[in-house]
Each structure stands twice: as C-alpha cells, then as structure tokens.
Amino acid sequence: MCPGSRQNLRAGGAVSESKPQVVLGVSGGIAAYKACELLRRLTESGHDVRVVPTASALHFVGAATWSALSGNPVSAEVWDDVHEVPHVRIGQTADLVVVAPATADTLAKAAHGLAGDLLTNTLLTARCPVVFAPAMHTEMWEHPATQENVATLRRRGAVVIEPAVGRLTGVDTGKGRLPDPGEIFEVCRRVLARGVTAPDLAGRHVVVSAGGTREPLDPVRFLGNRSSGKQGYALARTAAARGARVTLVAANTGLPDPAGVDVVPVGTAVQLREAVLKAAADADAVVMAAAVADFRPAAYAEGKIKKREGKEPEPVALVRNPDVLAELSADRARPGQVVVGFAAETDDVLANGRDKLRRKGCDLLVVNEVGERRTFGSEENEAVVLGADGSETPVPHGPKEALADTVWDLVVPRLA
C-alpha cells in the first residue's frame, strides 16, 4: 500500500485502496497563485486534495478556482457545513497538511495554537506530517518573532522549509520568495513516502556538496568530470523533507534549487573547499557527494591556447587540489560532527573503497561503480555504504532518493 493511503472495505469484503488525503492550506500572500501549480501536481499524482484557504487568500485566488482544480468543496470558515464538523474532521482524516504559501501571520498563529479560522483549526487537529512553505518579505522572515515561531514549529515536528532568494513583491529582492511549486511538491512527496510524523533531522544543520568541479585551463577550456549533481541534490531534498536546515554547495550542476535549501554555487575545487568549510562550522553532518577534481592546471593561460599547424601542444602540468574530505574528517568543526564521503570506483570497488575510508578518516563512505553508462547523469544509483565501525550497507539499484534516505538513516544514529 502506498504510504499515507488508506484502505476501505468494499461490499463483499474486498479491500480497495483510497487516495492519500492531502490538505493544502493557502495563506493570504501574493504567492497564493503559485499554489495552483502545487495543487495540480498533487492531484495529477494521485492525491485527493482539500484546499483550505484563509479569508485573505481568497482575495488573491477565488474559491471557485480552488474547487474546480481540486474537485472538492472549498471554505475558509468553520461555520460552513457545521453538521460535518469540518474544523475537526479535515485535520483528523489528513495524511499530510501543507501550507503554501505560509505567511508570517499564519506561522505565528500556528506556533501559538490560535484557531480563528478553518485552516488554523485544521492545523490543531492534524496528527499527520505538516509542511510549511513560507513566503514573505525578507524583513518579516528575518524578524526575531518569525524566527522564534519557526523554531517552535520545527521543535514540535513540523517541516518548515527555507524560503527561496529572489524577486519579491514590487522591486524588492531577497530571501522570502516561495520556492518553486515543483520543488515543494517533491518535499511533500518525500514526507508522504516516509510516513513519519516527526522528522528525524529536525533542528539539525547539514551540509551537502554536489556536482563536479571545473579547473580552468584558459578562458574557454577546463578540466572537469561527468558528475551531474543529481545524487547530491537528492541528498539535499531528502534532508529537507526530514526537517533539516540544509546548505547545498553546488558545483556546476545546472539543476533547479531544491525547496527549503540554501544553495551556494561554486566552480573550482578551491572555491568548493572554502564554501564547505565555512558552512561546516556549525553543521551536525557534512556529506561530500561532489566529484572534486584531484588536480588542476599548474598555470592558467590568460588567452585561449591556440592550435599551431605542425606542432604538438605543450604538455599541461598539474598540481594537487586540497583534499577536502580528509581535511573535514581530520579537523571536525564541532564535536560529534558526522562526515560522509563518496567514492566513485571503476575496479576493485570494495577494496578501493575500504582503503579510501581508512585514508580519509570519515565516518561513512558511499562506494559505487562508475563508467561510461553507470551512475553519472542517471536518475538511479546503487552502492555500498561502508562504515568506519566495519559495517557494510548495500543499497540495491534504484532511485537516487532511496540511496539518499539510506545515507541519512545511517547518519542519524551517529549524530551526537
């Protein structure tokens, strides 16, 4: 049975499976129109969605729109259909409640247990996972009152994803933009799939590196690798869905920012080292999924290196890049910090993996076999996760999210 779905008995004793019940709460912000896209993704993926807007939200998107898109009745008031006790029943029967956008006002009411409308009543009666996708001006998000309310909700087990950085209402730009609805959907999907009410990474800060570094040779050429960054992004998404504050150091990926994740773009191995060490200063765990170049050109040509007829090119001298994984492992930024490395091997996979685990000094090492048609750029992966304690956890071929969840499953019990 799909996680979160319910079983109903048909006549004659046959068991039927109903759709997962999702409540989509919509607060009164300009980003309310974006919730229509989230609603579409939820319904098209097989979820039964009940939209519960606030009265303010209905100034931006009308009840008729929500009803037509969801196929369910829409109300913002506890006094409608009183005989069905909607202010209790909606929350009681939900498999997931997601509030997008969640304004500062809604976050404050949820944190303080106020119940003045149908949405806040639903939040009080829900015993399922709850996800908030905040959207507001930067000053409102950064205000101590909002930050305390967010901390309270996270402490109680809600997933409050970080807002995105970008254009806000009017000419303002900053942190507070509603994340992309497709990325909010991915968080919801992961939360539903796990079927766990209390996120096990709540209150934790994790750092994930992703992608492949590029080492410039001249203004148009570089030394690089085949890493797409998809495994690192899967690690970031799953960590956010499990309640963590996530910093993603992304090297040349071209992928959309995951919802609720602070993304730090980098290019070279030296830039990646600087960004990871800075972010790791207060991190509970660091997962080095990026493919970091071992070497870089010893000299950078200011002009494009020209091809000369009848002459072979000059050899390219290389120098070593810093070993970021070994540095993180040897000099932990805080006691109990968990460090996870990745090893892409082409032969003697486990033997080389065990040797790398010993040399790098990390707590866990994800070892996978790579090649022309393996792993890089794929949506799937398979690996063995080696532990410094001698453990081996095989992860069969499957979605990269499955490997990501296995990594976090192994990280959580090792956290101080």
Side-chain angles (χ1 to χ4, degrees):
M1 184 170 72
C2 173
S5 63
R6 303 172 185 275
Q7 287 186 339
N8 296 322
L9 288 178
R10 293 176 179 167
V15 176
S16 68
E17 197 173 279
S18 65
K19 296 179 179 180
Q21 306 294 301
V22 176
V23 175
L24 172 58
V26 184
S27 302
I30 188 63
Y33 77 94
K34 294 183 179 181
C36 295
E37 173 64 15
L38 176 58
L39 173 57
R40 183 187 68 81
R41 288 176 179 266
L42 287 166
T43 55
E44 289 185 356
S45 58
H47 301 85
D48 186 11
V49 186
R50 176 76 179 261
V51 181
V52 181
T54 64
S56 297
L58 294 176
H59 286 287
F60 296 96
V61 181
T65 299
W66 298 122
S67 182
L69 291 175
S70 68
N72 284 316
V74 172
S75 176
E77 300 295 335
V78 297
W79 304 109
D80 295 339
D81 300 315
V82 174
H83 64 288
E84 296 180 357
V85 201
H87 70 290
V88 174
R89 294 286 180 260
I90 294 174
Q92 285 179 333
T93 58
D95 296 303
L96 173 72
V97 177
V98 52
V99 184
T103 61
D105 180 65
T106 297
L107 292 172
K109 289 175 178 176
H112 289 83
L114 301 181
D117 59 14
L118 189 56
L119 177 55
T120 49
N121 273 270
T122 299
L123 289 169
L124 275 180
T125 57
R127 294 299 180 267
C128 60
V130 178
V131 175
F132 292 92
M136 64 197 74
H137 274 76
T138 305
E139 293 83 358
M140 299 174 74
W141 171 253
E142 293 177 346
H143 195 283
T146 302
Q147 290 300 303
E148 286 183 17
N149 291 332
V150 168
T152 296
L153 292 169
R154 285 173 172 164
R155 189 170 60 250
R156 292 176 185 161
V159 175
V160 185
I161 60 181
E162 294 285 314
V165 176
R167 183 72 177 268
L168 306 173
T169 306
V171 298
D172 294 346
T173 299
K175 188 168 186 176
R177 183 181 175 91
L178 185 73
D180 180 80
E183 290 297 326
I184 298 174
F185 169 74
E186 289 299 321
V187 172
C188 294
R189 187 176 65 82
R190 292 306 307 158
V191 171
L192 267 173
R194 283 183 57 75
V196 178
T197 303
D200 55 5
L201 286 173
R204 301 291 190 175
H205 176 209
V206 302
V207 177
V208 179
S209 69
T213 60
R214 294 177 179 177
E215 311 304 320
L217 180 61
D218 64 21
V220 297
R221 300 182 179 92
F222 60 84
L223 300 180
N225 57 66
R226 296 176 181 271
S227 179
S228 66
K230 291 180 179 179
Q231 184 62 70
Y233 274 59
L235 283 154
R237 284 193 182 94
T238 52
R242 294 169 75 148
R245 176 167 68 90
V246 184
T247 301
L248 175 62
V249 179
N252 309 297
T253 66
L255 300 173
D257 292 351
V261 172
D262 289 323
V263 180
V264 181
V266 296
T268 68
V270 171
Q271 291 170 350
L272 182 140
R273 173 187 177 273
E274 180 181 350
V276 168
L277 291 181
K278 180 179 179 180
D282 68 342
D284 297 286
V286 183
V287 181
M288 289 291 295
V292 183
D294 293 322
F295 309 99
R296 67 180 184 273
Y300 173 75
E302 296 294 338
K304 179 182 176 182
I305 300 173
K306 299 291 187 180
K307 178 174 64 176
R308 297 179 180 178
E309 293 298 331
K311 292 188 177 181
E312 293 297 319
E314 293 291 328
V316 177
L318 301 176
V319 295
R320 285 185 178 275
N321 271 322
D323 190 330
V324 186
L325 178 58
E327 185 175 356
L328 284 166
S329 301
D331 187 16
R332 310 282 172 125
R334 56 189 299 182
Q337 186 179 73
V338 178
V339 178
V340 182
F342 271 68
E345 300 291 345
T346 57
D347 53 66
D348 294 330
V349 175
L350 287 181
N352 287 333
R354 292 189 190 96
D355 180 61
K356 183 171 183 178
L357 176 65
R358 177 185 55 78
R359 288 186 288 105
K360 302 296 184 180
C362 50
D363 301 289
L364 295 166
L365 188 73
V366 183
V367 186
N368 52 17
E369 187 174 356
V370 298
E372 189 73 23
R373 294 179 177 84
R374 287 176 176 264
T375 303
F376 290 129
S378 171
E379 301 296 332
E380 299 181 327
N381 205 347
E382 65 178 301
V384 176
V385 186
L386 303 177
D389 57 3
S391 61
E392 290 187 13
T393 306
V395 183
H397 188 266
K400 288 185 173 179
E401 285 179 345
L403 174 56
D405 267 326
T406 299
V407 170
W408 295 124
D409 287 344
L410 294 170
V411 166
V412 167
R414 289 171 166 81
L415 290 171

